[in-house]
Amino acid sequence: MSAPKTLRNVFTVGAFTMLSRVLGLVREVLQACLIGAGVAQSAFALAFAVPNMARKLFGEGALTAAFVPVFKGEVETVGLEKAERLARIVMTMVLAILACAVAVALAALVAADGLLTGWRAFTGDDRRCLVISLVTILVPYMIAICGAAFGMGVLNALGRFKASSFMPAFLNLFWIAALVALVPFPALPVAVRVRIVAGAILVAGFAQTAFMFL
């Protein structure tokens, strides 16, 4: 790779990373103002950690670290077309496995929600139900974010950095939009607000995946 192209790629990644950090700061300020630092925020952080753990394992962890060198080798030896076919096969298998895991998790969460209904009626404690509902919303996000992260690894291996660098900012834009949409409704319960934010993140995840393959 030539020096000008390397510098251009460095600038691209740095610029989009800076944009993501600025948007992340805006997001955190809005989140603190509209959600606060109470039980709802703690439940949201716990629920959001579930798909992020899967992303680190399947999207940006061992799988990508093992696949990207193989993919680059395939590009150099058999050509881009066959390498892309390999990437599609591996990604399809990963997403199928994740879809099965999500289906099992959702079934378990529905069962848990049914069990907690009696607890809520008896104690008046909605915290556990809030956690279950947020995890239920965000578990499918695991499929989207892992697909997007896997696609980012493939694009980076091909020397295409714009789309992958923009991904964190893409999520923040959806997140901020959801928070801004809550501003005109100050009487909305915080539990409803945090569910709306979780839903926006789920939509953003699938939009990220679609954007990666445009």
Side-chain angles (χ1 to χ4, degrees):
M1 186 180 293
S2 64
K5 188 173 182 180
T6 300
L7 289 175
R8 189 162 56 248
N9 289 333
V10 169
F11 177 79
T12 297
V13 174
F16 280 126
T17 301
M18 177 63 72
L19 175 63
S20 174
R21 296 297 181 268
V22 173
L23 292 175
L25 177 61
V26 174
R27 180 199 76 199
E28 290 300 320
V29 171
L30 289 172
Q31 185 98 352
C33 293
L34 295 169
I35 305 299
V39 172
Q41 176 60 27
S42 298
F44 172 80
L46 176 61
F48 194 48
V50 175
N52 276 331
M53 180 177 62
R55 174 180 59 84
K56 292 177 181 178
L57 178 61
F58 292 101
E60 299 174 352
L63 177 64
T64 302
F67 176 74
V68 168
V70 175
F71 177 76
K72 292 186 69 174
E74 289 290 304
V75 172
E76 295 170 358
T77 57
V78 300
L80 179 60
E81 184 177 349
K82 291 186 177 180
E84 288 180 342
R85 187 180 303 119
L86 173 64
R88 285 194 295 269
I89 292 171
V90 173
M91 185 172 178
T92 300
M93 292 177 60
V94 171
L95 294 182
I97 293 170
L98 287 172
C100 292
V102 167
V104 172
L106 288 176
L109 288 166
V110 170
D113 186 59
L115 292 174
L116 285 174
T117 300
W119 169 270
R120 179 173 52 187
F122 181 71
T123 64
D125 185 1
D126 288 334
R127 291 175 296 177
R128 292 173 177 81
C129 295
L130 178 59
V131 172
I132 292 295
S133 66
L134 290 175
V135 173
T136 303
I137 295 171
L138 287 172
V139 159
Y141 177 69
M142 182 167 65
I143 300 173
I145 195 59
C146 288
F150 187 84
M152 288 167 58
V154 172
L155 290 180
N156 287 341
L158 295 173
R160 304 172 187 170
F161 300 101
K162 289 183 180 179
S164 58
S165 300
F166 184 63
M167 282 299 98
F170 198 87
L171 172 63
N172 283 330
L173 287 172
F174 272 78
W175 200 325
I176 290 170
L179 289 168
V180 170
L182 295 173
V183 173
F185 306 99
L188 203 64
V190 67
V192 176
R193 293 182 186 182
V194 77
R195 287 186 177 98
I196 291 173
V197 172
I201 292 172
L202 177 61
V203 173
F206 286 99
Q208 281 178 301
T209 304
F211 179 77
M212 291 299 296
F213 296 97
L214 289 178

